[in-house]
Amino acid sequence: MWNITTGTVEAITRLFYDAEARKEVSGVVGSYETTRQSVEVSWVQTVNILAIISLSLAIVNLFPFLPLDGGHIFWATAEKIRRKPIPFSVMERASVVGFVLVIFIFAIGLTNDIGRLRGEGFGIN
């Protein structure tokens, strides 16, 4: 689990400076195709793939940006430490960062999936 966790965080970090890392990202279609092909190999590989996908999604969801759950945890902790509510306008402006991050990752995965469907395929086997 630790290897998957650190690998997920490193992969997200590399998206910002490594073009090759951006080519490795898949969206829903890529996740489906990977799972479908792993079913053909063995049930153990299928469970492993599903566990990796689930753990990776959980880690991304814990990033400290709104609208992700980690953002809610971060702002609740910040309010607890300050002992007074943080203005909504501050949280709203800060949430733009999280929203842009989520859209950025989604757009990369979507364009990669479209490119794979139109071209060389997923090449997972």
Side-chain angles (χ1 to χ4, degrees):
M1 287 178 69
W2 180 251
N3 291 338
I4 305 278
T5 302
T6 56
T8 299
V9 172
E10 289 171 3
I12 300 249
T13 306
R14 284 187 319 205
L15 292 178
F16 294 100
Y17 64 86
D18 186 2
E20 288 300 314
R22 286 190 288 275
K23 292 178 183 177
E24 296 174 5
V25 175
S26 289
V28 176
V29 176
S31 298
Y32 165 77
E33 185 61 22
T34 302
T35 306
R36 186 190 68 75
Q37 289 184 16
S38 69
V39 167
E40 295 173 357
V41 175
S42 74
W43 69 271
V44 173
Q45 185 172 355
T46 303
V47 171
N48 285 336
I49 292 292
L50 291 173
I52 289 169
I53 291 171
S54 295
L55 183 57
S56 295
L57 286 173
I59 292 163
V60 170
N61 195 31
L62 287 175
F63 285 173
F65 306 112
L66 290 172
L68 303 174
D69 289 339
H72 293 282
I73 294 167
F74 172 79
W75 289 107
T77 304
E79 286 182 345
K80 185 72 171 176
I81 291 169
R82 287 183 73 216
R83 294 194 173 127
K84 62 181 180 177
I86 294 175
F88 183 72
S89 60
V90 172
M91 287 193 295
E92 192 174 52
R93 278 184 258 142
S95 69
V96 171
V97 174
F99 187 71
V100 168
L101 177 68
V102 170
I103 293 299
F104 175 70
I105 294 171
F106 173 77
I108 290 172
L110 179 65
T111 56
N112 286 345
D113 283 351
I114 290 170
R116 290 176 185 134
L117 288 171
R118 296 174 71 206
E120 77 279 356
F122 288 88
I124 295 166
N125 286 335

